[in-house]
Structures are given as structure tokens and as C-alpha cells.
Amino acid sequence: MVQDRDVYNAELSIKGKFYNYYNQHHEMESSNAVYREIKDLETKRLAFLYKESPSFDTFFTWKINQFLKVFSAYGTEPARAVIFSMYVIFFFAFTWVETTCFL
């Protein structure tokens, strides 16, 4: 699906209509779910494009999308970003304590 530009664009168009519909009716849970599907599709397309014709822009955008999926579900779950950040802080704090206290 992501290999063929026309099929990819048609799929984005359909998902975009669902996204707009849910947004207009203030159905945020459904809207966010469709948005994540759109971003997943975009991420797959970027991976394909990078493998076909590697460039820094494509690679960077692809990797940022992958990171944002894990970090905050593409911005639809801000609490996940806070929790993820706390884990990073604790990880580095414990690493620092371990290296400084046990030398």
C-alpha cells in the first residue's frame, strides 16, 4: 500500500475524512485513534521512501515519527510523555549514583 503513491494518497484521504468527521463531532478518542493510524501509515511510507532513495530528510522524519509514536503516541497522549521523561530521569539518576558511589 505505501509503495504505490496513488493508493497511499487515497488511503490518507479516507482516513482524513474520518479524522475530520470525528473532530467536528468532538469525538476525541476516535479522532486520536484515526490520527495515530494516519501517522503510522506516514511512518511506513517514510521507511519505504528512505529504502528506495535514502536522504537525510526522509531518514530524520522517519526516525522522529518512530520516536513520537513511543514517546507520546504522536502527541495524542501527553501523559505518556511525562511518564517516559520520568523514566529517563530516574535511569540517569540511578546510573549516576551507581557510578559515583561504588567507585
Side-chain angles (χ1 to χ4, degrees), residues 52-101:
E52 288 292 306
S53 178
S55 73
F56 177 76
D57 289 339
T58 306
F59 177 79
F60 187 73
T61 307
W62 169 38
K63 291 302 178 179
I64 288 294
N65 273 11
Q66 287 180 325
F67 172 75
L68 288 174
K69 180 179 183 174
V70 172
F71 187 70
S72 66
Y74 301 115
T76 60
E77 295 180 27
R80 186 191 287 188
V82 172
I83 292 167
F84 190 85
S85 298
M86 293 300 291
Y87 285 143
V88 169
I89 291 167
F90 287 137
F91 172 77
F92 282 105
F94 289 129
T95 303
W96 179 79
V97 168
E98 184 178 290
T99 58
T100 57
C101 293

Side-chain angles (χ1 to χ4, degrees):
M1 173 188 338
V2 295
Q3 296 86 352
D4 185 328
R5 176 184 277 190
D6 292 332
V7 173
Y8 170 74
N9 287 335
E11 184 71 19
L12 280 182
S13 177
I14 292 168
K15 288 183 185 298
K17 288 176 184 175
F18 278 112
Y19 176 74
N20 290 335
Y21 173 83
Y22 291 133
N23 260 344
Q24 288 173 351
H25 291 88
H26 305 287
E27 296 180 31
M28 296 312 294
E29 200 170 305
S30 297
S31 174
N32 286 341
V34 173
Y35 180 76
R36 288 190 297 269
E37 288 179 18
I38 290 170
K39 295 304 283 182
D40 282 340
L41 188 61
E42 178 184 290
T43 302
K44 289 176 187 174
R45 175 78 177 166
L46 288 166
F48 168 75
L49 292 175
Y50 177 73
K51 289 176 181 145
E52 288 292 306
S53 178
S55 73
F56 177 76
D57 289 339
T58 306
F59 177 79
F60 187 73
T61 307
W62 169 38
K63 291 302 178 179
I64 288 294
N65 273 11
Q66 287 180 325
F67 172 75
L68 288 174
K69 180 179 183 174
V70 172
F71 187 70
S72 66
Y74 301 115
T76 60
E77 295 180 27
R80 186 191 287 188
V82 172
I83 292 167
F84 190 85
S85 298
M86 293 300 291
Y87 285 143
V88 169
I89 291 167
F90 287 137
F91 172 77
F92 282 105
F94 289 129
T95 303
W96 179 79
V97 168
E98 184 178 290
T99 58
T100 57
C101 293
F102 298 109
L103 289 178

